[in-house]
Amino acid sequence: MPAVPFSELSALHSTRQSDDLDSPDTAPQHQAPPPRLLDQVRNRIRVKHYSIRTEQAYLDWIKRFIRFHGLRHPATLGASQIEAFLTHLAVDRRVAAGTQNQAKSALLFLYREVLAVELEWLDHVTRARAPVRVPVVLTRDEVHRVLLRLRGTHRLLGHLLYGSGLRIMEGVRLRVKDVEFERRMIIVRDGKGAKDRITMLPDKLRAPLAAHLERVHALHQDDLRNGFGN
């Protein structure tokens, strides 16, 4: 099948109408165009409440897959083309095993959740090797020196990540209502795997975090008085 321009990918997935049906006399009025393929993927990901990082990664891998096969629409491709792409990542690009698995998950999501195509098991993929590595763990003194380099809100966030075990995006998205000062705990909403969990709020962070919230509240009140922040 000849290559199709990327801008026309969405059109391939819709049913073509005959010339008679496309005439001005019979064409439906104000009919919205079908959503593009990547928009369909994005919408489905959000329906299933995947994280924004997963959404960005899946969309990126799907774009690479389409470009690898000459901008052909994924609906015209199948298991053998997926196997070729994943094998290319392992053999030619020499990606890590986790990277190859992420690409595979993105493509399986595309076919199963968006195109409603059940693929046969991908048995012929050359798998990237997962290297056995010893994790790098900073000592308490090294962590202390890193945190001393931070200033302002970044230092508070760094202390919060280290003391509470939050992931970066969990710390950035933390809301006031999820900080329990009296009970010394933090409620993580919609964390990895769309799961909630509870973690501790260190005593040393209670006063700095409360002071930060007071400053932010005062700033918000100033914005309201000046006609902003509604």
Side-chain angles (χ1 to χ4, degrees):
M1 179 175 289
V4 180
F6 191 73
S7 60
E8 298 178 6
L9 285 176
S10 61
L12 287 175
H13 198 51
S14 60
T15 303
R16 294 184 178 274
Q17 296 179 329
S18 65
D19 293 336
D20 292 336
L21 293 178
D22 287 337
S23 62
D25 295 334
T26 59
Q29 300 297 319
H30 307 294
Q31 184 175 2
R36 296 185 178 185
L37 177 66
L38 295 181
D39 290 334
Q40 295 179 48
V41 175
R42 185 179 293 107
N43 293 339
R44 187 60 181 162
I45 287 175
R46 295 182 181 181
V47 165
K48 296 183 74 68
H49 302 289
Y50 285 15
S51 72
I52 187 65
R53 293 294 181 87
T54 300
E55 175 183 318
Q56 293 168 348
Y58 277 20
L59 289 174
D60 182 63
W61 281 119
I62 291 170
K63 290 176 185 177
R64 294 187 188 191
F65 174 68
I66 292 171
R67 294 192 184 103
F68 179 78
H69 287 293
L71 301 184
R72 292 172 62 186
H73 193 286
T76 68
L77 307 173
S80 61
Q81 285 80 17
I82 294 178
E83 290 172 352
F85 176 67
L86 296 176
T87 299
H88 159 74
L89 294 179
V91 176
D92 300 327
R93 301 300 300 273
R94 298 182 179 180
V95 302
T99 302
Q100 187 193 42
N101 286 334
Q102 186 186 66
K104 179 180 177 181
S105 297
L107 297 179
L108 290 178
F109 182 90
L110 168 66
Y111 279 90
R112 290 175 178 171
E113 298 291 338
V114 179
L115 299 179
V117 175
E118 280 293 336
L119 297 174
E120 59 190 68
W121 187 249
L122 305 177
D123 290 325
H124 306 295
V125 175
T126 300
R127 299 187 180 277
R129 284 189 174 184
V132 179
R133 303 184 187 277
V134 177
V136 177
V137 180
L138 299 179
T139 65
R140 294 181 65 178
D141 181 64
E142 289 171 333
V143 172
H144 180 66
R145 282 186 284 160
V146 169
L147 294 176
L148 285 178
R149 297 275 183 173
L150 302 177
R151 295 290 182 271
T153 304
H154 293 119
R155 173 180 285 191
L156 177 60
L157 181 57
H159 278 282
L160 195 59
L161 298 180
Y162 180 66
S164 300
L166 299 176
R167 298 180 176 88
I168 293 178
M169 292 307 297
E170 291 172 348
V172 171
R173 294 176 176 175
L174 188 62
R175 303 184 66 180
V176 177
K177 68 181 182 65
D178 295 328
V179 180
E180 299 279 355
F181 285 96
E182 293 184 2
R183 301 169 66 181
R184 294 177 173 82
M185 70 181 194
I186 295 174
I187 303 174
V188 180
R189 308 282 185 183
D190 197 22
K192 187 173 183 179
K195 298 178 181 178
D196 295 350
R197 75 175 192 279
I198 296 176
T199 186
M200 63 180 179
L201 173 62
D203 285 337
K204 291 184 177 180
L205 293 181
R206 292 175 67 196
L209 187 56
H212 171 75
L213 294 180
E214 289 180 2
R215 288 194 299 271
V216 172
H217 179 72
L219 180 62
H220 179 60
Q221 294 301 315
D222 287 339
D223 288 341
L224 291 178
R225 285 190 289 270
N226 292 321
F228 304 105
N230 292 326

